[in-house]
Amino acid sequence: MKVAYSQRSVARLMLGASLLAVATPAMAQEAEDNQAGGLDDIVVTAQKREQNLQEVPIAISAIGAEKIEKLNVRDSRDLSGLAPNVTIVQSTTSTSAAVISMRGISSPASESFGLDQANALYVDGIYIARSGASALDVSDIERVEVLRGPQGTLFGRNSIGGAIAFISRDPSKDFRLSARAGFGNYGAWNAKVSLDPGEILGISTTFSYVHSQRNGVVDNLLAADDKDDPGARRTDAVRFAAKFDIGGTGSFRYIFDWSKTRGRPNAFQLTNVADGTARPPLVVNGQPGITQTQQAPVQQYLALATFLEPGCAALAAPTRTFRETICLNMDREASDEMQGHNIQVQNDFGPFKVKITGGYRKWDSISTGSDLDGMGTFRGPLFSNATLFNGMPAALLAFIPTIPPAAIPFISTAPVPTTTQGLFDTNNVRRHKQYSEEIEFSGDTDKLDWVVGAFHFFEKGDENNPQNSGFILDTNTVFLGNFGALGPSFVAANPARYRMVVTNGLLRYVTSAESTAVYGQATWYVDGRDGKLSLTGGLRHTWDSRKMTRYQSGATAPAVPDQGQASFKRLTWNAMLRYAFSDDVSTYLRAASGYRSGGFNAPDTAQAGVLTPFRPEKLVSYEFGVKSELFDRHLRLNFAVYHNKFEDLAANIPVVTATPGVFGSRIVNVGKVDYTGFEVEGQLVLNDYFSIDGSFGYVDVKPKEFLVPTSGAVGAPIVDIASITRTGYTSKYTGNIAANLRVPLADNGMTFNARVGYTYESPKYSFANSISTPFNEQLLSDPKHQLDAQISIDKIPLGGGEGQLLFWGKNLTNRHEFARGIDFGALGYAGGFFADPRTYGVTLGIKF
């Protein structure tokens, strides 16, 4: 059979999901007890209108304001594990970017502007093209909606895996003042003030300010202060929102936000070094051998190098064990500054509604230095053609006709020069801006809901990325390969076998993209809104264009900049059937398509002159789900089974470019992948005091075709390596479960609240295979076992207002989990980043 599972297997998955849900009920949204001691309704806007979550025929999780506040959710990175089959890992050099994976489909690990996201991020209806540009620290988030599966009709391109929507609260028409201040370990403290003066001259407003900071979580012996250690953060943010009514049927809303985060990315720790052992061609399923990346002999070079800072030599030994102390000689400040404007106008004309949303966002990301070898300063032999023979016996040099006899005494006594260049360090300046406009027309009757709209988006970004690297060369190979019978004699006399080739490379480009779309979707309630059956269909046509001008990618700039221009278009569709067995139990079938736009390789010297784009990715998804509220609405239980067929997968493959030591990557369309899995989530209210919530997800990823050339030679045979291909940044299993306690303390609403939550994510690979990333298997992440807890007293009477006292802790067991790896391929080493250690603190809050 071509499908990944038989009908019997799918039935077993569905039965297993149901049994698991009863054992560990799960729901991302915490629901407060209503007067009957059961569950409240959850309202979402995933279908461009307000609906009960249980009536929306897609897999969706909603996280409400109370949980957001207590879990300290600041941006998308804090959502990892809170919804099934959703994992998020940290960036490498930015303080704000992230890699999002939904149902096995991940956004790019590369932070290049040449490649779009696979999972869309929205803030108050505005599409955020780059994950690092969301600026949510200061937002008064009302809820977060996590939509899993392709959202190609209503949310459009680049939501091929799903979408995450952050929705903030509107300004209050009444006076409202809230303030929070918190303190924690690692010198952390934060404060937030939010003021709603109330409606004045018909206008309601909100003013908010946030400051947060902490010291680093790893001690860099070469940093002057704790605030300069890896993981340190300092954020300031402001937000203003205004809203007024229009004629009693409409409204106008404007939001401005600005934030700036300065600090240090988490520490890169060296975990693996190569010894230069030759890697033979790899034979996969009897196909022609594939040339594998050859690694530089870093191990031998480091063994003979001299470390200049006391204590750093011992910390240079590669290890997978977490180090609380590290030496990073090139670690410098990184900053991310963002601002945005959001305008929303809507009006109800009776037969139909109109909503216009426009937005502008700007993101400047500056990294003044990123240390990506995990070591302090070391000195070792430097290679250059001019000094190749330094220190060689005069008798041997006499056989080299290009060396003048008068120079032989000087060359034979000259030492081999040295260098203090590390294996790899970089700095970066990225600037990005985007504009978007969307207009929606919607309406409803007794039997029909409908929405049609048009969307336009433009973005422009540029990057200036110097890269300094050291490629270790075994000079014995030079003598043996070029000097015939004299080769062994030179090898025997070689004063410095391993020498570093220092390369100063640069990646500099500017790119722009434009997207236009029209869409429509309608739901027909066959027997009216109170009937059992509803049918939904939708279409969206998207036109995309992209340009790139690349001024340099490597050690030297081309005489004429490389240019690329491409256009793409795609029709995506959505079809759903929902059947309600009762008010409490419904089932749905969904088939939908998704599309991620094509683009250009930014860091790739293999393409020169006219840049060739990679093609868009395409996906078709099939899904079956059940949503239920049982036992007099004390148990909410939802699950879904899905199968996705993915074509033209664009893989980001690390390469070392033609210039030795210049590290880069290349994006190519490599083939087809099938994704099959299930998700279960729900919430159980046991009584007026105690409830349980959580989630569980499973995804099985089956690469069906992964085509790569056997070598870099022109016309090299193409082979299929699907059988050895891994899926990057994806956990096969994800799970979350939490126990919640709420005890009334007084008649005025004061309560004692406690929550203990556990999150699990199975290990993740960082790259697709070991051909170009030899340490891929060793870089498999640790499984995530995170235990969190919060204890609070809420609604403490404060003379007309109320207070809150919150104690919180994350990663209470202080697990040091390896979260993400980087393999530098031919440079001969690898390393990665660890998740944050245990953090804890106390927060005081007041509201009036």
Side-chain angles (χ1 to χ4, degrees), residues 444-510:
D444 55 73
T445 67
D446 291 341
K447 285 194 172 185
L448 185 69
D449 288 339
W450 60 271
V451 59
V452 296
F455 172 80
H456 178 257
F457 171 83
F458 175 81
E459 68 170 329
K460 185 175 183 179
D462 62 82
E463 181 174 4
N464 190 77
N465 177 207
Q467 301 177 1
N468 307 309
S469 62
F471 178 81
I472 309 305
L473 176 66
D474 182 352
T475 56
N476 280 358
T477 63
V478 176
F479 293 120
L480 293 174
N482 296 277
F483 293 92
L486 292 174
S489 298
F490 277 113
V491 166
N494 194 347
R497 175 178 177 179
Y498 303 102
R499 309 185 196 185
M500 177 179 286
V501 180
V502 175
T503 302
N504 298 316
L506 175 66
L507 170 65
R508 186 167 72 91
Y509 66 91
V510 60

